[in-house]
Amino acid sequence: MRKKLIAGNWKMNGSKSFNEGWVKSIHAALAAMGPSQNAEIMVCVPTPYLSQMAGLLENTPVALGAQDVSAHAKGAYTGEVSLGMLLDVGVQGVIIGHSERRAYHGESDSVVAQKVKACMSSSITPIVCLGETQEQRQSGQTNDVIQSQLSAVMDALEQDFERLVVAYEPVWAIGTGLTATPEQAQEVHAFIRGLLATKTRHAQDLKILYGGSMNAQNASSLLSLPDVDGGLIGGASLLAEDFAKIITSANAECN
Ligand code: PEP
């Protein structure tokens, strides 16, 4: 059975004192939930805080994630951060191809695919984001967009799908307060799993997360869907209390 994964994406938010307070609150909330927690938890923080958070999260069940990684191992790539550097500071997962990086930093499907492929030769879990814009959904292109974004990754990986996590994040739902309906989410998640199954016999083992204005109120209805294996959560992950409620919803689905 696939375990649920609840991953927070802090985007460009946080500070040393905020981070300390957040970890304290999550730690207390997790302690109050008791020992029978099945959901996996990760928080993806800005690069300058990775080392601090690695220390703060020690001895907690919360894994540390980054928000991007270079496809290159080292060298003359000013401003970039390599997988080796992320590993060196204790990172366990990384978001790749978030729609904000695709839109504002020109990340193409092939760059995204190279980054995911690079992760496969390390122990870092890649969370690759896919999703259509509002216009693409309205003009009936959702499946085509998802297929071309995912095909680029699958072609680069060939057979090596181990640890791949896919996040379906409709662009129109990110940070907007609009959420995919359970029907819309399940339909796309099932489509993604079907695409994965064309390339690997392990599609049923791979996690497909939903992201896009998931919050404490709507988490249950999304996390209970058969092909939704967790959430990638932006705004609500900054509020420790809300993030904890989403974790509680995920735990309820795992039991
Ligand atoms: C995200 O940034 O990945 C995201 C899903 O954001 P939000 O939850 O704020 O819509």
Side-chain angles (χ1 to χ4, degrees):
M1 183 183 160
R2 298 182 297 269
K3 279 192 169 185
K4 303 277 185 205
L5 168 63
I6 299 300
N9 173 17
W10 280 6
K11 313 192 191 208
M12 200 167 69
N13 294 290
S15 67
K16 286 205 279 186
S17 64
F18 170 89
N19 308 346
E20 271 179 32
W22 188 92
V23 174
K24 227 180 246 173
S25 304
I26 283 293
H27 200 52
L30 293 175
M33 285 177 211
S36 61
Q37 295 164 42
N38 294 310
E40 295 169 2
I41 310 164
M42 182 182 289
V43 61
C44 301
V45 307
T47 308
Y49 299 129
L50 287 170
S51 282
Q52 181 206 13
M53 288 294 280
L56 292 172
L57 294 173
E58 222 172 296
N59 302 319
T60 77
V62 184
L64 180 63
Q67 298 175 10
D68 185 30
V69 66
S70 176
H72 305 286
K74 65 185 223 175
Y77 301 100
T78 302
E80 299 228 334
V81 172
S82 72
L83 272 167
M85 292 169 185
L86 295 183
L87 276 170
D88 206 18
V89 297
V91 167
Q92 292 147 286
V94 61
I95 298 171
I96 296 178
H98 190 281
S99 63
E100 288 154 13
R101 294 218 54 88
R102 292 179 189 258
Y104 308 143
H105 302 276
E107 284 197 14
S108 63
D109 287 347
S110 76
V111 167
V112 170
Q114 288 316 307
K115 291 181 175 187
V116 175
K117 186 179 165 76
C119 284
M120 292 308 182
S121 54
S122 79
S123 60
I124 292 186
T125 300
I127 302 177
V128 62
C129 301
L130 319 171
E132 80 288 2
T133 63
Q134 183 77 285
E135 297 72 44
Q136 288 165 335
R137 174 162 281 271
Q138 280 166 352
S139 58
Q141 295 175 70
T142 299
N143 286 359
D144 292 344
V145 171
I146 298 294
Q147 181 154 12
S148 74
Q149 291 176 338
L150 187 56
S151 293
V153 172
M154 294 196 301
D155 291 348
L157 291 184
E158 294 158 13
Q159 297 303 308
D160 189 9
F161 284 77
E162 200 194 343
R163 288 181 301 107
L164 178 68
V165 175
V166 176
Y168 169 53
E169 296 214 306
V171 178
W172 49 270
I174 296 179
T176 58
L178 298 172
T179 313
T181 63
E183 294 72 27
Q184 288 171 326
Q186 172 55 31
E187 192 180 344
V188 178
H189 280 236
F191 179 68
I192 290 171
R193 200 173 304 282
L195 290 174
L196 291 167
T198 64
K199 295 280 184 173
T200 172
R201 281 182 289 130
H202 304 294
Q204 287 300 328
D205 302 328
L206 298 177
K207 288 185 178 60
I208 306 173
L209 313 184
Y210 170 81
S213 299
M214 186 184 275
N215 57 39
Q217 288 71 44
N218 62 26
S220 264
S221 62
L222 291 158
L223 294 171
S224 61
L225 299 167
D227 284 295
V228 174
D229 307 312
L232 181 55
I233 297 123
S237 72
L238 290 163
L239 310 166
E241 202 180 304
D242 287 23
F243 194 58
K245 284 184 185 155
I246 297 171
I247 294 166
T248 301
S249 299
N251 280 331
E253 293 306 326
C254 293
N255 289 327

